[in-house]
């Protein structure tokens, strides 16, 4: 029994060392460089059906502070349900009033226009997307028609595409390049082929996360962090009391606060593509992987607001090692628990009973792991369960061999 307790203590000491080494790896010698933090505001769903009152107020707030904003504009909004692919109701083009608002704000330098689909009607009831899965010819036609319509209204080239529901495919990217678009702004869930010549500037934050993202950006070792803030009219309490996250007054105060921060530069998408050095597919893919490693596989206290940053050089190795340390620590903890409990319970049984318990544990664990990983879409809960199952088996294995050796002695 004393030997079992000693082995258990060794497990716990090893676990403590793993935690200490992980902390040192992540934080030792951390120095935050001076840098400029870029913030981009992107308002989606401007259309003939959207709330003109709040949109005029938003433009006025940015005009008052001398700041730019990007609007994702739907040129021909569907009259019916946007989430019903079978709906055949009329489409409503942007009204002259709405067009005048855009043109005036563009001419004075406050507004940057992005094409936000054609009619914003999904073609798939299960996975919302207007363009994903469509033939190249159809995508070229709809994107080209929407682009020409908006350019005719504002009198300036429209070079940014914001896909409805942030959903697109490789054919969409080909169509965009053929039509002369330079930038796509979706989120980090899409694809970015290495061969694509487009610039990728995905949304990574919403209004409620912005201040935390700014704090994280200031602490980040990255020399060019970007925060692309995606919001809609319904995020304002004046428009939707249920879904609203902020009032217009609070938003105006937030914008004014940002404007007085010397290390923050608020730019439009078009301005960001000129000011920011690296917006290629490489940056997109590395940020996507980093988000998978941190936000999906680690508790929030590990990454905090980092998931709301679009980094120039995400520290993928640091994230990978942190994930390894976290799950290795869980595995060791459960190994120690299983070994200790086994030493209290199984020591009373004969060797054959302990051997049977060990093999039953392996079989049950194998079925558990197959269930967890069968679709390869495992998240943090599944990984924690897998690490715990493996730890229990390791503890049972050492427990079985420890008492086997004792019985032989």
């Amino acid at each position: 029994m004393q030997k079992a307790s000693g082995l258990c203590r060794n497990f716990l000491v090893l676990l403590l060392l793993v935690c200490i080494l992980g902390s040192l790896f992540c934080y030792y010698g951390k120095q935050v460089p001076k840098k400029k933090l870029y913030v981009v505001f992107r308002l989606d769903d401007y259309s003939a059906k959207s709330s003109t009152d709040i949109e005029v107020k938003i433009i006025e707030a940015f005009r008052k502070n001398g700041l730019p904003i990007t609007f994702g504009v739907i040129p021909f909004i569907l009259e019916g349900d946007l989430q019903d692919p079978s709906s055949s109701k009329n489409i409503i083009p942007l009204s002259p009033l709405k067009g005048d608002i855009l043109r005036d704000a563009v001419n004075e330098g406050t507004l940057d226009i992005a094409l936000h689909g054609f009619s914003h009607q999904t073609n798939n009831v299960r996975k919302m997307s207007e363009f994903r899965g469509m033939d190249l010819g159809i995508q070229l036609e709809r994107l080209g028609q929407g682009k020409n319509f908006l350019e005719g209204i504002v009198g300036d080239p429209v070079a940014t595409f914001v896909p409805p529901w942030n959903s697109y495919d490789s054919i969409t990217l080909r169509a965009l390049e053929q039509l002369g678009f330079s930038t796509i702004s979706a989120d980090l869930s899409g694809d970015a082929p290495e061969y694509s010549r487009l610039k990728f500037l995905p949304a990574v934050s919403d209004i409620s996360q912005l201040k935390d993202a700014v704090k994280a950006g200031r602490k980040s070792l990255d020399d060019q962090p970007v925060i692309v803030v995606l919001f809609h009219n319904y995020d304002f309490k004046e428009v939707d009391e249920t879904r609203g996250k902020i009032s217009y007054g609070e938003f105006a105060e937030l914008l004014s606060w940002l404007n007085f921060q010397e290390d923050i530069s608020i730019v439009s998408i078009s301005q960001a593509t000129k000011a920011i050095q690296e917006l290629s597919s490489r940056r997109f893919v590395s940020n996507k992987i980093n988000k998978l490693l941190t936000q999906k596989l680690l508790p929030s206290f590990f990454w905090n607001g980092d998931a709301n940053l679009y980094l120039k050089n995400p520290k993928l190795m640091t994230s990978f090692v942190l994930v390894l340390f976290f799950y290795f620590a869980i595995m060791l903890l459960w190994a120690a628990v299983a070994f200790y409990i086994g030493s209290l319970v199984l020591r009373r049984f004969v060797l054959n009973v302990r051997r049977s318990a060990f093999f039953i544990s392996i079989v049950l664990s194998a079925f558990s792991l197959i269930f967890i990983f069968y679709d390869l879409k495992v998240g943090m809960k599944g990984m924690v369960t897998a690490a715990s199952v493996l730890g229990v088996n390791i503890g049972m294995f050492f427990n079985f061999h420890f008492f086997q050796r004792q019985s032989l002695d």
Side-chain angles (χ1 to χ4, degrees):
M1 184 66 183
Q2 289 181 346
K3 290 183 178 180
S5 299
L7 284 172
C8 188
R9 283 197 299 271
N10 291 339
F11 268 121
L12 294 176
V13 170
L14 181 59
L15 175 62
L16 179 61
L17 288 174
V18 166
C19 295
I20 293 173
L21 287 173
S23 301
L24 289 174
F25 178 84
C26 295
Y27 298 108
Y28 180 77
K30 193 173 184 179
Q31 295 180 348
V32 180
K34 291 183 178 179
K35 56 185 175 293
K36 180 69 73 173
L37 181 62
Y38 288 96
V39 177
V40 178
F41 284 93
R42 190 187 105 195
L43 175 73
D44 282 2
D45 294 350
Y46 183 95
S47 71
K49 291 168 56 176
S50 59
S51 174
T52 305
D53 290 343
I54 194 68
E55 288 160 350
V56 169
K57 288 183 177 180
I58 292 170
I59 292 173
E60 179 57 31
F62 280 86
R63 178 189 292 119
K64 181 179 178 181
N65 286 278
L67 300 173
I69 180 175
T70 299
F71 274 15
V73 181
I74 307 169
F76 307 100
I77 188 73
L78 181 73
E79 186 179 9
D81 184 2
L82 300 180
Q83 300 185 17
D84 181 7
S86 64
S87 178
S88 57
K89 291 191 176 183
N90 296 330
I91 56 174
I92 310 171
L94 212 59
S95 66
L97 172 62
K98 287 275 193 171
D100 290 341
I101 293 171
L102 293 181
R103 183 170 51 253
D104 291 344
V106 168
N107 289 338
E108 65 187 15
T110 302
L111 196 57
D112 177 37
I113 301 298
L115 176 65
H116 189 39
F118 176 77
S119 64
H120 208 300
Q121 180 183 13
T122 186
N123 64 55
N124 191 317
V125 71
R126 289 187 302 172
K127 295 182 179 180
M128 296 297 159
S129 182
E130 183 178 4
F131 291 93
R132 186 179 181 85
M134 304 292 282
D135 293 337
L136 176 61
I138 296 175
Q139 296 202 39
L140 281 170
E141 179 184 358
R142 294 183 180 180
L143 290 169
Q145 189 174 345
K147 184 177 191 293
N148 292 335
F149 181 79
L150 291 185
E151 289 177 344
I153 289 176
V154 300
D156 276 347
V158 175
T160 300
F161 176 61
V162 175
W165 294 286
N166 295 305
S167 177
Y168 61 94
D169 58 18
S170 59
I171 296 177
T172 310
L173 301 179
R174 285 174 53 196
L176 293 174
E177 290 185 11
Q178 291 184 32
L179 291 169
F181 285 89
S182 63
T183 308
I184 181 169
S185 179
D187 60 17
L188 284 171
S189 64
D191 296 324
E194 186 178 350
Y195 58 78
S196 178
R197 300 190 303 271
L198 293 170
K199 294 182 178 181
F200 293 82
L201 192 59
V204 290
S205 176
D206 62 28
I207 294 177
S208 63
Q209 300 165 331
L210 179 54
K211 282 202 170 183
D212 287 337
V214 169
K215 292 178 183 177
R218 285 170 168 166
K219 294 177 182 178
S220 173
L221 295 175
D222 197 80
D223 62 350
Q224 205 176 67
V226 184
I227 306 170
V228 180
V229 185
L230 168 60
F231 64 114
H232 300 78
N233 288 345
Y234 56 71
D235 286 317
F236 291 91
K237 296 175 182 177
E238 291 86 347
V239 176
D240 192 325
E241 293 183 0
T242 304
R243 290 192 290 177
K245 300 174 181 177
I246 194 170
S247 68
Y248 173 75
E250 292 169 336
F251 179 77
E253 290 178 3
L254 175 62
L255 201 60
S256 179
W257 173 80
L258 286 170
N259 198 23
F260 278 100
Q261 307 304 305
E262 295 182 356
D263 60 339
I264 294 178
S265 179
I266 300 178
V267 294
S268 67
I269 289 179
S270 295
Q271 290 172 338
T273 59
K274 297 175 183 177
I276 299 171
Q277 301 168 6
E278 168 65 15
L279 291 175
S280 69
S281 60
R282 185 204 64 80
R283 179 171 185 164
F284 181 93
V285 171
S286 59
N287 275 269
K288 183 176 181 177
I289 295 172
N290 193 59
K291 181 179 180 181
L292 172 66
L293 289 172
T294 56
Q295 192 172 2
K296 190 174 180 180
L297 298 181
L298 290 175
S300 59
F301 60 80
F302 276 101
W303 43 267
N304 239 346
D306 289 354
N308 304 118
L309 297 174
Y310 192 50
L311 303 173
K312 182 180 178 182
N313 293 299
K315 306 301 181 184
L316 294 180
M317 184 55 66
T318 300
S319 299
F320 182 72
V321 171
L322 190 58
V323 169
L324 285 180
F325 271 119
F326 177 69
Y327 289 105
F328 188 63
I330 291 175
M331 185 183 69
L332 283 179
L333 175 63
W334 279 102
V337 170
F339 183 89
Y340 184 71
I341 293 177
S343 67
L344 294 177
V345 177
L346 296 179
R347 61 191 295 268
R348 299 171 183 165
F349 295 92
V350 296
L351 184 62
N352 287 336
V353 174
R354 295 198 297 269
R355 183 184 290 113
S356 299
F358 172 59
F359 284 112
I360 290 173
S361 172
I362 291 178
V363 172
L364 292 176
S365 298
F367 279 110
S368 299
L369 293 176
I370 291 172
F371 177 76
I372 292 168
F373 291 98
Y374 79 99
D375 61 355
L376 298 180
K377 294 182 179 179
V378 62
M380 187 179 70
K381 291 182 179 179
M383 288 292 290
V384 168
T385 303
S388 303
V389 166
L390 289 174
V392 168
N393 274 285
I394 291 172
M396 292 286 289
F397 174 80
F398 280 105
N399 182 277
F400 170 72
H401 281 277
F402 173 77
F403 283 107
Q404 186 181 38
R405 289 182 59 183
Q406 269 198 338
S407 64
L408 292 175
D409 293 341

